[in-house]
Amino acid sequence: MADALHICHISLLNPAIHSRIFFKMALSQVQAGYRVTIIAQDPAPAPYLREGVEIIPLGVFGRLSWRRIWYAWRFSRIARRVGADIYQIHTVELLATGKKLKQALSRAKVVYDMHEDYVANILHADYYSEWSRPKLAARVKAVQDDFCKWGDGLILAEDCFQALLPFDPDRTVVARNKFRAPAIVPAPKLDLADPKLPMMLCTGTIAENWGIFKAVSLWAEFNKFSAVNLVIAGHSQDAALLQELQLRVNATGLSGRFALVGGSSYVPFEQLVALIKVCTFGVALYQLKENIKDRIPTKFYEFMAAGKPLVYSENPIWDSMNAHSKFGVVLPNAWTSEDAMTVFNQVNTLSTELQQHPLPSTAWSWDSESPRMLELMAKLSY
């Protein structure tokens, strides 16, 4: 392994043990013979090795923490000390660090792994003041456009990102966020009055844009004609939003059928997958803003892999995907009580069909995506 080319992943806001960074990218690279390091958020007190990947932990901090600014400044020194051959950057604000690394290390190549349309995210993000969004978005666009002049490779997590950056198409690949199974762990223990009831599961970022309050409303409607538990498993740095979530659950009178996993703390990816495996069905009731409507959420693939139906927001792109793979049930954007009952019945029917006829792995497996990423790494290794 001493002679293996070294890839170093760096991210500021993602956890080191991240579904894309660790389980998909890093593990695929280790299996292809690379030496791999991840520098990112992690609570461990010192560097450690996991499944052949070296983790350099930065502690854990929030989006608005002063440590975000401090570590952005320190990253260049930390990453330079690693001395990698290829640096794979997962946070747009670390592109400046990548530029410094390329200048300091003559052999180093820098790849931008673009998880999000960050410009669109800023323009539609509630956590930035409205007056600041255009200026912040313009700054991010300028940084990304500058990368296109000096960067060595670009990996896109979505097909819809392909026209966003003026980067060399011969050094650009799309590696979609399809599913790769982590090690098997037991599902977290849930505090529910009757755990045997059907489980409606909402996973991922806890946010209004991500449909968290829509999920509570639909769950309350389902319970008018059939008893159903709601489990929300995810993370939010917004304490006020988490409080509002609990208030809305309490207002339904169904708090004994509700469980929150995570909330103010991250939920390990392995636990999310374990919950998906034991749930009855999932929900993905996103608000279809410009930064969401053209994307394929990662949870679509995760529920496909588990053979669990997904109730999703009405959206032509998702409808087209569902017409091909038959993984879910669409909820009309202006749904009624009658619609809710129809959807619930369709979910039960689809659940039986998916158990009898699982979706082919080509619909959801990371194995279809990793070869393109590894081909790019090989191209940059020469």
Side-chain angles (χ1 to χ4, degrees), residues 91-201:
T91 308
V92 67
E93 61 202 280
L94 291 179
L95 289 177
T97 297
K99 191 173 187 178
K100 290 178 183 177
L101 289 167
K102 191 170 175 65
Q103 292 168 346
L105 303 172
S106 59
R107 74 178 187 283
K109 304 291 178 62
V110 177
V111 174
Y112 180 27
D113 191 339
M114 187 175 172
H115 299 201
E116 309 271 353
D117 179 351
Y118 295 102
V119 172
N121 280 1
I122 290 170
L123 290 173
H124 298 281
D126 296 334
Y127 43 81
Y128 293 118
S129 58
E130 193 167 350
W131 65 268
S132 70
R133 292 176 199 168
K135 292 182 179 179
L136 287 170
R139 175 58 183 159
V140 167
K141 184 178 185 306
V143 169
Q144 292 186 148
D145 286 347
D146 181 61
F147 167 80
C148 296
K149 299 173 184 176
W150 59 262
D152 298 292
L154 178 65
I155 303 175
L156 305 172
E158 300 276 353
D159 290 288
C160 61
F161 294 170
Q162 291 184 79
L164 296 179
L165 300 186
F167 196 78
D168 182 356
D170 290 335
R171 293 176 291 137
T172 301
V173 298
V174 178
R176 302 168 189 85
N177 259 327
K178 291 190 176 183
F179 179 76
R180 181 172 191 166
I184 298 173
V185 301
K189 198 166 184 179
L190 303 173
D191 184 15
L192 296 165
D194 184 356
K196 295 181 180 179
L197 291 177
M199 182 201 298
M200 170 176 161
L201 178 63

Side-chain angles (χ1 to χ4, degrees), residues 187-379:
K189 198 166 184 179
L190 303 173
D191 184 15
L192 296 165
D194 184 356
K196 295 181 180 179
L197 291 177
M199 182 201 298
M200 170 176 161
L201 178 63
C202 183
T203 60
T205 303
I206 300 174
E208 186 168 4
N209 284 357
W210 267 236
I212 198 66
F213 297 141
K214 289 183 178 180
V216 173
S217 297
L218 182 63
W219 166 64
E221 193 65 39
F222 283 163
N223 272 279
K224 291 179 180 178
F225 51 85
S226 184
V228 179
N229 287 328
L230 170 63
V231 176
I232 294 176
H235 170 253
S236 174
Q237 297 174 3
D238 188 342
L241 184 141
L242 292 175
Q243 184 178 29
E244 176 65 19
L245 171 62
Q246 191 62 58
L247 288 172
R248 294 198 185 200
V249 168
N250 293 344
T252 66
L254 299 166
S255 56
R257 298 178 186 171
F258 171 76
L260 175 64
V261 179
S264 59
S265 59
Y266 280 104
V267 182
F269 177 62
E270 305 97 307
Q271 290 188 13
L272 292 178
V273 172
L275 282 168
I276 292 172
K277 286 183 177 179
V278 300
C279 79
T280 308
F281 64 96
V283 289
L285 304 179
Y286 297 92
Q287 292 183 4
L288 298 180
K289 294 188 176 183
E290 290 301 312
N291 60 323
I292 294 175
K293 66 182 182 66
D294 293 333
R295 300 182 54 189
I296 306 299
T298 304
K299 72 171 68 178
F300 282 32
Y301 301 121
E302 293 167 354
F303 278 84
M304 282 186 202
K308 303 292 179 161
L310 191 66
V311 179
Y312 66 90
S313 303
E314 187 176 12
N315 181 7
I317 289 176
W318 301 346
D319 291 341
S320 177
M321 184 179 182
N322 192 37
H324 180 265
S325 295
K326 304 276 191 306
F327 66 89
V329 176
V330 61
L331 180 73
N333 290 328
W335 57 272
T336 64
S337 296
E338 290 76 16
D339 291 327
M341 184 175 291
T342 298
V343 164
F344 190 77
N345 290 333
Q346 289 174 333
V347 162
N348 288 327
T349 300
L350 181 57
S351 180
T352 301
E353 292 175 358
L354 289 173
Q355 288 175 24
Q356 295 174 348
H357 305 287
L359 294 172
S361 63
T362 51
W364 50 261
S365 176
W366 169 251
D367 291 344
S368 66
E369 307 304 307
S370 60
R372 288 189 292 275
M373 179 273 293
L374 292 172
E375 184 178 349
L376 176 63
M377 293 297 154
K379 187 181 294 187

